[in-house]
Amino acid sequence: MTEEKMQKTDEEWKKELTPEQFEVLRKKGTEPPFSGKYVHEKGKGMYACAACGQELFSSETKYDSASGWPSFWQAADPDAVELRPDTSNGMVRTEVVCKKCGGHLGHLFEDGPKPTGKRFCINSAALKLKDGEK
Ligand code: FE
């Protein structure tokens, strides 16, 4: 895992990402619930960052949270993501960021299932399922 951070301008990211991906990953947007392509995804594989390809979450830790967003109870590697306090929109939350490219992924909540009790609530637009078997 590289510690080196990707530094790209908005213009550069715009060329590589779809408008939806750009809005979520670079502008901290949130896709509408149940709108993302991975909400009900059951395929096996590794969910990587849609912007930089860093491996973020294993399908083995994906579960149905009924929230409307892909949910995971653990990151593939604690070093793959960065957790930041987020008080935007009048809420106190924990933002989940891709450590490699700084892209916004979603938020972390403490109402997840065992064994961690964590719920990584992640936008589909921020993810790309690799080696998915359907
Ligand atoms: Fe990334």
Side-chain angles (χ1 to χ4, degrees):
M1 181 142 336
T2 176
E3 293 296 317
E4 193 172 311
K5 290 223 176 181
M6 275 189 187
Q7 300 284 356
K8 291 190 185 183
T9 65
D10 276 359
E11 286 311 308
E12 289 173 312
W13 281 121
K14 268 184 186 167
K15 287 178 191 157
E16 298 179 20
L17 303 173
T18 67
E20 186 188 23
Q21 289 172 332
F22 182 82
E23 180 60 28
V24 170
L25 285 155
R26 305 315 308 178
K27 297 296 169 190
K28 304 185 190 298
T30 300
E31 67 199 14
F34 299 102
S35 71
K37 62 180 173 180
Y38 292 134
V39 178
H40 300 295
E41 178 63 54
K42 297 279 200 292
K44 303 282 185 211
M46 185 62 77
Y47 287 87
C49 176
C52 75
Q54 165 136 286
E55 296 186 347
L56 298 172
F57 301 97
S58 165
S59 63
E60 301 294 320
T61 64
K62 190 175 189 288
Y63 72 101
D64 181 11
S65 68
S67 68
W69 292 277
S71 301
F72 305 85
W73 48 261
Q74 182 172 271
D77 183 326
D79 259 355
V81 296
E82 187 175 329
L83 304 177
R84 299 178 184 165
D86 174 11
T87 56
S88 65
N89 298 317
M91 292 176 273
V92 178
R93 294 180 294 175
T94 301
E95 183 188 9
V96 183
V97 175
C98 173
K99 209 166 191 176
K100 186 172 175 186
C101 73
H104 172 81
L105 304 173
H107 289 90
L108 173 63
F109 300 95
E110 302 293 332
D111 57 6
K114 291 178 180 177
T116 60
K118 306 281 187 191
R119 169 166 61 101
F120 288 85
C121 187
I122 307 298
N123 291 280
S124 290
L127 298 173
K128 189 168 282 182
L129 178 57
K130 300 197 300 183
D131 304 322
E133 297 165 21
K134 299 207 175 168

